[in-house]
Amino acid sequence: MVGVVVYPKSNVKSCKSFDEFGISFKSKPGGLPTFLLVDRGDCYFTKKAWNAQNAGAAAILVADDKIEPLITMDTPEEENSSAEYLQNITIPSALITKTLGDSLKKALSNGDMVNVNLDWRESLPHPDERVEYEFWTNSNDECGPKCDMQIDFVKSFKGPAQILEQTGCTQFTPHYITWYCPEAFILSKQCKSQCINHGRYCAPDPEQDFSRGYDGRDVVIQNLRQVCLFKVANESKKPWLWWDYVTDFAIRCPMKEKKYTKECANQVIESLGLDVKKIDKCIGDPEADEDNPVLKAEQDAQIGKDSRGDVTILPTLVINNRQYRGKLDKGAVLKAICAGFEETTEPAVCLSDGIETNECLENYGGCWQDKATNISACKDTFRGRVCECPTVQGVRFVGDGYTHCEASGAGRCAINNGGCWKKTQDGKTFSACIEGKSKACRCPEGFKGDGVNSCEDVDECKEKVACQCPDCKCKNTYGSYECSCSGDLLYMREHDTCISKKLTTEVSWSFLWVIFFGLAAAGVGGYAVYKYRIRTYMDSEIRAIMAQYMPLDNQGELPNHQHADI
């Protein structure tokens, strides 16, 4: 929502009706809505908002009166907390820091026109793909409308919360507020009935009556049991069981039916398959005069850190370490959690109907699109849309996402033919897409063109690039050509010439006869050589044998004995 900021000259705290001052903030036709800037103090936030709404303001900005971490504006706890107007406030309201309020007032006093954009989607940090959030609640079910509101929220939000947790999109932690009893009153009846561990951890009496019903210490112990159940469930890799336990406990173990007991709680725990002994060990001894490490950690967590203020009221929701400021219902909280994701990493539940508007449905969000294959670079996000070239069937598209995206890499020809030219004619398909290339379109052989928008058939006959021999007859076909020869001539495509079929036959037979006679001559020659070598070998062997028994003509007589002089 965009509006123009107005700081009233009178009734600056908006604690009275603006009709008493004759002031109206209704915008004129065609004008921007009016955002009323008022000061904090003197009356409740709801009263300020109601008076601003009746005066025609479209929103109210309440400037803090001191520099401090912001708190959550809440329904006042007073006698008229059930006033009808509380349910009829419809304008947005926001508490802003004193510094921002002073800056707005200074600009307005200088005569400047100040426009403000109220966008809760950007009010939360959104650094990564996971949202961390805390829910500060209470197991008490006898505190009136607030307790009813809390359990109604838990019941309605359980489904989305468990889906987000099971898919690893969120990290949820429940918390419970306690306070300590002043040392001077530890032995008093009030502290003993409202506290455990000797006044270290206390909760108010559910009925505000110490003489009947359950005591505050019962609430503290049940709160401690719910914290320990979450710890045990988290150690079992099933933190989402906390939502089942809280809803089942509220149904099966209400205070009104006197079932707000350990026995009833254990029955619910066992039905969820959790270890009761581990939870009892975590709870420890409520009567021990020592710190309980679990509740001590809860009290430490109540203290504000960085941009998050102290947690002082219930219920309180903290998302990405920033206190949520809005209505505690399923739709509003889910939107706030979805606003905590980095854009394009939101889970599917954040992109469902009723949570956000799909900007890609109308004209593909203004991004690149291929209507032939219904592929678009528009990617819907919780905050709007981004133009990002997609990945389809494992094929990545590259480009700016706005005017151009092109399939790239292996398999790209399967997606819209890689953005290249393609045509089927006479039962044959011709494509300019080159598979295996990152991105390339080239007209196939027999065509010419850019390969993207068109490829035209090359007339090989007309352009005299083929079938040019004297006896050739050329006929152009789509993507190729046909060449024939007159008479009994045969066309040889690789040589682009015509030869006689008869000559070809004679040449072929002559060639075969030459091969035949050549093989025969080689065989005869080989046989003669073979016979000659065998005969020579045999002669030498016979001569060697005979030489052992008689001297041959070409060998001298060898002496049989050798004598040595001694």
Side-chain angles (χ1 to χ4, degrees):
M1 178 184 288
V2 178
V4 59
V5 179
V6 173
Y7 183 61
K9 295 181 179 179
S10 303
N11 197 23
V12 293
K13 294 185 178 180
S14 188
C15 289
K16 297 180 180 180
S17 173
F18 284 95
D19 288 341
E20 298 179 18
F21 302 89
I23 299 175
S24 174
F25 301 108
K26 293 180 180 179
S27 57
K28 297 179 181 180
L32 288 172
T34 300
F35 291 173
L36 182 62
L37 174 65
V38 300
D39 294 331
R40 182 180 179 182
D42 292 355
C43 61
Y44 289 106
F45 294 121
T46 50
K47 187 67 174 179
K48 297 175 186 289
W50 179 246
N51 289 331
Q53 179 175 307
N54 288 337
I60 181 173
L61 306 176
V62 181
D64 205 348
D65 53 1
K66 58 183 178 180
I67 298 177
E68 61 179 350
L70 296 177
I71 66 169
T72 299
M73 295 191 293
D74 193 41
T75 302
E77 296 181 359
E78 57 171 355
E79 293 181 359
N80 68 340
S81 60
S82 59
E84 292 184 3
Y85 76 80
L86 296 179
Q87 308 302 322
N88 296 322
I89 296 175
T90 58
I91 65 172
S93 56
L95 179 65
I96 62 175
T97 63
K98 183 177 186 300
T99 303
L100 176 58
D102 291 343
S103 298
L104 294 175
K105 294 173 189 175
K106 182 178 179 180
L108 292 171
S109 65
N110 291 335
D112 296 333
M113 179 179 178
V114 179
N115 290 346
V116 167
N117 180 16
L118 295 181
D119 187 353
W120 59 264
R121 296 175 302 176
E122 297 300 325
S123 64
L124 291 170
H126 38 85
D128 51 33
E129 300 178 8
R130 191 180 75 172
V131 169
E132 293 85 23
Y133 71 106
E134 308 167 1
F135 181 47
W136 291 80
T137 183
N138 201 333
S139 64
N140 179 12
D141 60 10
E142 281 291 319
C143 62
K146 271 200 172 183
C147 286
D148 296 338
M149 176 183 64
Q150 287 185 72
I151 191 59
D152 288 344
F153 167 72
V154 171
K155 289 177 180 178
S156 64
F157 195 69
K158 181 179 77 169
Q162 290 182 325
I163 292 174
L164 290 169
E165 201 72 11
Q166 290 169 6
T167 54
C169 296
T170 60
Q171 179 179 309
F172 163 75
T173 308
H175 286 295
Y176 297 82
I177 291 179
T178 61
W179 72 87
Y180 65 89
C181 182
E183 188 174 353
F185 301 98
I186 288 178
L187 299 178
S188 67
K189 178 181 178 181
Q190 290 82 358
C191 276
K192 287 183 177 180
S193 66
Q194 297 183 92
C195 308
I196 66 172
N197 293 93
H198 287 245
R200 288 178 173 83
Y201 314 106
C202 311
D205 187 280
E207 305 89 359
Q208 299 298 309
D209 187 342
F210 299 110
S211 62
R212 65 182 181 89
Y214 291 97
D215 296 325
R217 62 179 284 110
D218 298 319
V219 176
V220 176
I221 293 174
Q222 287 295 351
N223 288 348
L224 177 57
R225 179 171 285 106
Q226 293 190 4
V227 177
C228 286
L229 178 137
F230 175 78
K231 290 176 68 69
V232 172
N234 195 35
E235 291 171 358
S236 303
K237 309 298 182 182
K238 296 180 179 180
W240 52 84
L241 289 180
W242 179 89
W243 295 89
D244 290 319
Y245 174 79
V246 172
T247 52
D248 289 354
F249 181 80
I251 295 171
R252 297 172 60 180
C253 311
M255 289 182 174
K256 292 179 181 179
E257 298 180 13
K258 308 299 180 183
K259 295 181 179 179
Y260 190 81
T261 63
K262 176 182 178 181
E263 292 73 24
C264 186
N266 286 345
Q267 291 176 5
V268 179
I269 293 171
E270 290 173 351
S271 70
L272 297 176
L274 294 173
D275 192 334
V276 174
K277 292 183 179 180
K278 284 186 178 181
I279 295 174
D280 287 340
K281 183 178 179 181
C282 171
I283 292 172
D285 182 10
E287 304 300 329
D289 187 7
E290 61 184 13
D291 286 338
N292 181 294
V294 176
L295 290 180
K296 180 67 168 58
E298 291 297 290
Q299 285 186 343
D300 293 341
Q302 289 176 220
I303 301 173
K305 296 179 181 179
D306 300 326
S307 59
R308 195 206 81 183
D310 294 348
V311 179
T312 56
I313 62 173
L314 294 177
T316 292
L317 194 68
V318 179
I319 303 174
N320 284 350
N321 203 37
R322 191 76 57 82
Q323 286 193 26
Y324 163 75
R325 311 182 191 284
K327 189 175 181 181
L328 193 69
D329 66 28
K330 174 184 174 182
V333 171
L334 183 56
K335 288 180 179 180
I337 289 176
C338 291
F341 289 100
E342 185 180 16
E343 194 167 28
T344 74
T345 69
E346 309 95 337
V349 67
C350 293
L351 304 178
S352 57
D353 292 340
I355 302 300
E356 63 92 40
T357 301
N358 190 343
E359 284 81 2
C360 293
L361 294 179
E362 185 175 346
N363 195 32
Y364 299 96
C367 303
W368 171 89
Q369 77 275 351
D370 183 351
K371 296 181 179 179
T373 55
N374 198 30
I375 297 175
S376 170
C378 186
K379 185 174 184 179
D380 185 37
T381 67
F382 179 73
R383 291 177 178 78
R385 65 97 178 97
V386 294
C387 293
E388 186 178 89
C389 291
T391 298
V392 181
Q393 299 177 14
V395 178
R396 182 171 175 265
F397 284 71
V398 295
D400 62 10
Y402 291 91
T403 61
H404 175 68
C405 285
E406 186 178 71
S408 176
R412 69 186 190 91
C413 293
I415 306 296
N416 192 30
N417 201 48
C420 302
W421 171 89
K422 181 180 181 181
K423 187 174 182 180
T424 299
Q425 185 166 315
D426 300 330
K428 294 182 179 181
T429 299
F430 302 91
S431 171
C433 185
I434 303 174
E435 191 62 80
K437 299 288 185 179
S438 60
K439 52 178 182 177
C441 297
R442 187 171 64 214
C443 291
E445 187 178 357
F447 292 88
K448 61 181 180 180
D450 60 12
V452 178
N453 300 312
S454 66
C455 284
E456 299 178 358
D457 174 51
V458 175
D459 190 339
E460 291 84 357
C461 302
K462 184 177 180 180
E463 296 187 8
K464 297 181 179 181
V465 295
C467 198
Q468 296 301 302
C469 57
D471 298 316
C472 293
K473 294 181 180 180
C474 187
K475 179 184 178 182
N476 187 57
T477 61
Y478 192 72
S480 185
Y481 65 92
E482 293 178 359
C483 195
S484 61
C485 298
S486 58
D488 294 332
L489 298 179
L490 178 67
Y491 179 69
M492 298 185 71
R493 190 181 185 99
E494 61 273 17
H495 299 292
D496 192 29
T497 187
C498 292
I499 62 173
S500 172
K501 292 181 180 179
K502 183 177 180 181
L503 178 62
T504 303
T505 304
E506 292 175 354
V507 171
S508 299
W509 277 109
S510 299
F511 183 67
L512 289 173
W513 278 112
V514 169
I515 293 176
F516 176 75
F517 285 117
L519 290 174
V524 171
Y527 180 74
V529 172
Y530 170 75
K531 292 292 289 181
Y532 172 76
R533 295 196 60 175
I534 287 294
R535 184 179 295 276
T536 303
Y537 175 74
M538 289 298 293
D539 287 346
S540 63
E541 287 293 318
I542 292 172
R543 289 174 67 84
I545 294 171
M546 291 179 68
Q548 296 178 10
Y549 299 97
M550 62 184 70
L552 299 179
D553 294 341
N554 59 347
Q555 289 183 329
E557 185 174 347
L558 298 175
N560 293 328
H561 303 282
Q562 293 181 355
H563 301 277
D565 293 333
I566 299 177

